[in-house]
Amino acid sequence: MWKEFKQFAMRGNVVDMAVGIVIGTAFGKITSSMVADILMPPVGFVLGKVHVASLFITLSGGHYASLDEARTAGAVTINYGLFAQTVLDFLIIALVVFLLVRQINRLLETKGPGVPTSPTTKECPYCLSSIAIKATRCAHCTADVGAA
């Protein structure tokens, strides 16, 4: 059983999937940092010098200066700033994945397996030997085969 599990775990597709998950997780962290630390501060500045992630609505009726203060007090809040930041994270990751898949599909269309390529040889009609597509005379039987 251990040998069988080891064979399964070491298959190429399982290892590739594991590498993809690790890289995807790291990419998600980079994207979250980019949104929180680079994109949202200018948006907050334009909105009146606020930290977008700290925008919230209190449902329990009290007034709190910050989201941390409301959480400490146990207030029920709708954190629409954090939601907006998460949506922006998702949109950036979705855009990058879309562009990546689009490029892979383009690459597979032009160079992938199963895609027919233009022929480089043709068959001599007289001796049935394979000759270059641009040949006008067969190298094997010297018959005139005409231009391609």
Side-chain angles (χ1 to χ4, degrees):
M1 185 168 146
W2 175 252
K3 185 177 179 181
E4 193 176 350
F5 175 73
K6 188 175 164 185
Q7 279 181 326
F8 168 77
M10 290 302 157
R11 279 190 180 152
N13 53 356
V14 174
V15 174
D16 291 344
M17 183 180 69
V19 169
I21 290 171
V22 169
I23 290 174
T25 302
F27 179 72
K29 289 180 180 180
I30 290 170
T31 304
S32 295
S33 176
M34 185 185 79
V35 170
D37 302 328
I38 295 173
L39 294 178
M40 289 311 220
V43 171
F45 183 76
V46 169
L47 292 176
K49 298 182 182 180
V50 296
H51 183 63
V52 176
S54 67
L55 297 176
F56 68 99
I57 297 171
T58 305
L59 297 178
S60 56
H63 177 70
Y64 303 98
S66 69
L67 181 58
D68 290 333
E69 186 181 311
R71 284 183 176 166
T72 303
V76 179
T77 60
I78 296 177
N79 307 322
Y80 64 92
L82 287 172
F83 179 74
Q85 193 165 319
T86 304
V87 168
L88 194 55
D89 282 353
F90 169 77
L91 291 175
I92 290 172
I93 291 173
L95 176 67
V96 170
V97 168
F98 168 74
L99 294 174
L100 183 67
V101 169
R102 186 172 154 207
Q103 283 304 111
I104 289 171
N105 286 341
R106 282 185 182 171
L107 185 65
L108 291 177
E109 285 176 4
T110 58
K111 297 179 183 177
V115 177
T117 58
S118 57
T120 58
T121 61
K122 63 182 177 181
E123 200 173 77
C124 172
Y126 302 103
C127 70
L128 303 177
S129 298
S130 181
I131 58 174
I133 194 81
K134 293 183 179 180
T136 57
R137 188 171 293 277
C138 177
H140 304 281
C141 69
T142 68
D144 186 15
V145 292

